Every structure is written in structure tokens, then in C-alpha cells.
Amino acid sequence: MDVVDTIVAFRSRLDDARHHGRHVGLVPTMGYLHEGHVSHMRRSATENDLTAVTIFVNPLQFGANEDLASYPRDLGRDAKLCEGAGVDLIFAPPVEEMYPEPMLTTVSVDEVSQRMEGRARPTHFAGVATVVSKLFNIAGPCRAYFGEKDYQQLAVVRKLARDLSFPVEVIGGPTVRELDGLAMSSRNVYLTGDERAAAPVLHRALQAGVASILSGERSAAAVAELVAGIIAAEPLAELDYAEVVDADTLAPLDRLHTGQEVRLLAAAQLGRPRLLDNLGVRVR
Ligand code: PAF
């Protein structure tokens, strides 16, 4: 496995692979990898001939008061995990390589970026969409793997890839969870002991929401209220939102109908980290 840190070197390695008829899989990350990332890498290694992981803590997607400076980083540990998961190439550029001059170009995806996370973090998805566009442009034709854990981000990336005709197949991988249901996230390291014990409340609340839909509840608002109530009852959690939306467009829903694919999403501040989680269900 090789590690490169320049755009020229990364692009030429992937161009060369395709030139020799090899399919490329791309796993964009901000590093501090966990089993969720590893599951995308393993899947990519089975579905492609060359798997590349990008490790870049992207300043554009952090708000002014967010954790850019303290975001956990450990390239040595990440490289070991990548190697064990069958990765062939890591692209770990410094900020000056990705942004050698002030960026005057921004990619923003309307509507799907604006609600939920977009309300709490108004510049976040434009930062994600811009860096992902840049990474797609550098990497070229490939399959790109993103986690369903950041479901709204996945919807933003899918839409930008379609709108801008990137030669990239965007693939969403299932959320990987700890044994008690907490969705894996690099920011879980910020949780104190008590907060860690309380953190699975999001998953529990979403499961209760799914169960209520499967037992016949057809009001999206009633389901959202149920999920919100369970999270709000946890004293350490500060609920931001609980929503029931169309799984594809993320549009808010009113009455649910048979056969509909819906997604339940929730976010809460739990001490330092903001925790996100979601579950999907097909209405019976
Ligand atoms: O999900 C992440 O790790 C990041 O938002 C991404 C997609 C790598 C863009 O920086």
C-alpha cells in the first residue's frame, strides 16, 4: 500500500490503473478511521481492482466555532487499518495541496442541504459538496463509498454527482454500530463515560419510531414526536431534531402510505459531540 500527498501523484496512479483496465474504488474520509470506514474499504476491495482512501480533514466543512483544530488525527493508525482492509493507495494531502489559494468556487446543493443538519450548520454541506466535487474530479471515474450514518450527506453527494455528471457511482454502506447500538463515528472519542452510556438513546428512539410505523402509525408527526420524546427524556442529551422524511428526496412527510420508503433521522448534542443517527423503513 502506498501513501501519496499530491494531487498529481494521486491522479496519475488512478489514471494508470484505469489505463490497465482496472476498476477504481474510492473511500473519502477525514481519517481517524473506525469499523464503519473499514466496512466501506473491504466492500470496495471486493468490488474493484484498486481501492483508494482519501484522508483529509476538510476545513471548508467546519463552522467557525467547530472542532477543526482538535478533530482527531492519527495517520499511522489509519494506515494500518487501511492496509488490513485491502486498500492499495492512500491520498493524504496537506491543506495547502487541496487549497493552495483562497477558494472562490463553492458547490452547493439546494433543498437537500437546507433542512436538519443544514439548519444547525449552515455552511457545512457546501463545504462537503465542494471537497467531494474536488475529490471526484481528481480521482476520475470510480465507485465511491459513503456511510449511511451521515444520511443527509449521502443524499447531498448523490445529488451533486447526478447534477454535475461526475463519472462516479455513489454507493451508500450501512451504518456500523457498537454492541449497544451507538452508531460508530470518529467524534465518539469526545464522549465522557456518562455520555457514552447515554449515547445509544438515539438508536433506541429511532427503533421505537420504526416499530410504531410497522405497527400501523401513519402520521409522520406522531412518529417524529415519539422519537423526539425518548431522546428529550435523556437528561444528558439536548435534542436538535427528529424527523420522518422521504428516503430519497429527504422531503418532509405528512401521512405515510403503504410501500413508501421513509427515513427517520435524529440529532442531539451530547456533551461535546453532536450525535447523528438514522434508520430506514418501508411502510407496510
Ligand atoms: O464524511 C466525511 O468523512 C466527510 O464529510 C467527507 C465526505 C470525507 C468530506 O470531507
Side-chain angles (χ1 to χ4, degrees):
M1 187 187 72
D2 292 328
V3 182
V4 295
D5 62 5
T6 67
I7 291 173
V8 167
F10 186 52
R11 184 178 266 153
S12 83
R13 282 289 301 267
L14 300 189
D15 282 347
D16 186 57
R18 279 184 297 261
H19 185 72
H20 288 90
R22 301 174 76 200
H23 284 278
V24 170
L26 182 77
V27 185
T29 80
M30 296 208 301
Y32 214 70
L33 305 174
H34 51 68
E35 277 303 313
H37 298 113
V38 169
S39 69
H40 307 319
M41 296 173 201
R42 289 216 179 93
R43 178 167 175 191
S44 172
T46 64
E47 294 178 349
N48 304 284
D49 306 303
L50 182 151
T51 292
V53 170
T54 69
I55 298 181
F56 178 63
V57 181
N58 170 39
L60 297 186
Q61 69 190 76
F62 287 76
N65 299 318
E66 294 183 10
D67 57 343
L68 172 61
S70 58
Y71 193 85
R73 292 161 168 91
D74 190 340
L75 186 57
R77 171 182 169 280
D78 288 348
K80 283 196 193 106
L81 281 172
C82 288
E83 191 140 40
V87 170
D88 303 286
L89 183 62
I90 294 179
F91 176 47
V95 174
E96 316 77 72
E97 177 70 11
M98 289 294 275
Y99 305 124
E101 51 190 86
M103 287 283 283
L104 300 181
T105 305
T106 300
V107 178
S108 63
V109 183
D110 279 354
E111 290 184 17
V112 69
S113 294
Q114 277 151 8
R115 300 174 42 251
M116 299 185 284
E117 283 309 288
R119 230 176 12 234
R121 306 177 73 193
T123 58
H124 174 65
F125 285 124
V128 171
T130 303
V131 80
V132 169
S133 301
K134 210 168 149 93
L135 291 170
F136 283 178
N137 200 22
I138 295 166
C142 62
R143 295 193 181 96
Y145 298 80
F146 294 84
E148 285 185 349
K149 145 82 171 52
D150 295 308
Y151 195 79
Q152 195 176 358
Q153 167 175 283
L154 177 60
V156 167
V157 170
R158 282 193 201 286
K159 185 75 176 111
L160 85 83
R162 286 201 305 272
D163 283 358
L164 299 181
S165 304
F166 280 110
V168 174
E169 185 187 347
V170 177
I171 296 172
T175 302
V176 178
R177 300 181 179 281
E178 306 285 357
L179 287 176
D180 60 6
L182 174 64
M184 288 196 186
S185 161
S186 306
R187 287 188 170 104
N188 289 350
V189 290
Y190 296 149
L191 293 165
T192 64
D194 287 351
E195 290 160 3
R196 173 64 191 81
V201 67
L202 261 78
H203 184 231
R204 267 203 319 279
L206 292 163
Q207 281 180 312
V210 166
S212 79
I213 293 174
L214 292 176
S215 6
E217 179 59 67
R218 289 294 175 266
S219 157
V223 177
E225 258 172 54
L226 172 72
V227 174
I230 295 172
I231 298 171
E234 165 50 58
L236 295 178
E238 197 183 312
L239 173 74
D240 183 350
Y241 60 80
E243 298 215 9
V244 179
V245 301
D246 179 276
D248 194 28
T249 62
L250 304 195
L253 297 174
D254 181 10
R255 295 298 296 173
L256 308 181
H257 59 257
T258 302
Q260 198 172 23
E261 296 286 351
V262 304
R263 204 83 192 178
L264 284 63
L265 296 95
Q269 196 74 32
L270 219 145
R272 187 166 166 214
R274 177 183 171 75
L275 299 187
L276 314 184
D277 204 348
N278 66 86
L279 285 179
V281 60
R282 187 185 168 87
V283 182
R284 288 206 286 235

